[in-house]
Amino acid sequence: MNAYEEYMREVARPMREELTNAGFDELTTPEEVNQFMNKNSEPALVVINSVCGCAAGLARPAAIHSLNHENKPEKLVTVFAGQDREATEQMRSYFSDIEPSSPSMAIVKDGQLQYFLPREQIEGFEVEEIVEQLTEAYDKYC
C-alpha cells in the first residue's frame, strides 16, 4: 500500500466506524457482497459510504437516525466507495439500471434492489429530509 492509500485509509477510518458502531456490517470484498446478496432474504439497508464531506456528512447521520423508525430493515450493510473499490463495484452490479452514485443508500431484499436514494437526493438536503425519505421507503419495503 502506498503512502496516499494509507493516508486515505486513516482519513476514512472514522467514517467507517460511524456506521459500524451503529450496527452496520462492512462488506469489503466482492465475495462478501455476493454472499450477502445471495443469502439475505430480509429487507436490508445498504449504505454506499464515501469520503465526500458534503453529501456523506449528511448520509451517515441520516442512515443512523432513520433506524429509530418503527419499521426498519432487518440487516444493515455498507461498502466504501473509493476505499473498497471491488466490493463497491460488485454491490453496484446488483443495481444494474442505476447510475453509480456515492454516497447513496438502497434497500435490497432477496438479492433485488427495492429502493435507491442517490447522492442527488442527499446532497443539499437536511438530515431530517433524508431520514423522511428513508422512513417512507422503510414503510413501503420493510
Side-chain angles (χ1 to χ4, degrees), residues 4 6 22 32 37 40 51 58 83 106 111 134 141:
Y4 175 75
E6 184 60 34
E32 289 175 344
M37 291 298 282
N40 182 63
V51 295
L58 297 167
Q83 294 288 306
L134 288 170
Y141 299 104

Side-chain angles (χ1 to χ4, degrees), residues 28-140:
T28 60
T29 67
E31 295 77 21
E32 289 175 344
V33 170
N34 287 337
Q35 183 177 6
F36 174 77
M37 291 298 282
N38 290 326
K39 291 186 176 183
N40 182 63
S41 60
E42 304 294 328
L45 176 62
V46 176
V47 175
I48 298 179
N49 202 350
S50 168
V51 295
C52 167
C54 45
L58 297 167
R60 287 186 299 272
I64 293 164
H65 186 69
S66 73
L67 301 176
N68 294 323
H69 193 62
E70 184 177 338
N71 289 330
K72 61 186 174 209
E74 297 290 320
K75 293 285 202 172
L76 309 170
V77 297
T78 180
V79 294
F80 207 116
Q83 294 288 306
D84 302 318
R85 288 182 175 91
E86 295 85 10
T88 303
E89 279 182 38
Q90 191 62 33
M91 183 60 77
R92 286 178 173 154
S93 76
Y94 288 93
F95 311 155
S96 57
D97 295 336
I98 304 290
E99 191 72 28
S101 177
S102 57
S104 57
M105 294 178 249
I107 297 174
V108 298
K109 182 180 178 186
D110 295 320
Q112 299 295 313
L113 178 65
Q114 305 293 311
Y115 171 81
F116 190 79
L117 183 66
R119 176 190 179 115
E120 299 82 55
Q121 290 176 258
I122 296 170
E123 189 173 22
F125 288 81
E126 296 293 324
V127 168
E128 294 76 18
E129 294 172 305
I130 303 164
V131 168
E132 187 175 325
Q133 292 179 79
L134 288 170
T135 56
E136 286 175 7
Y138 297 169
D139 287 340
K140 185 172 182 180

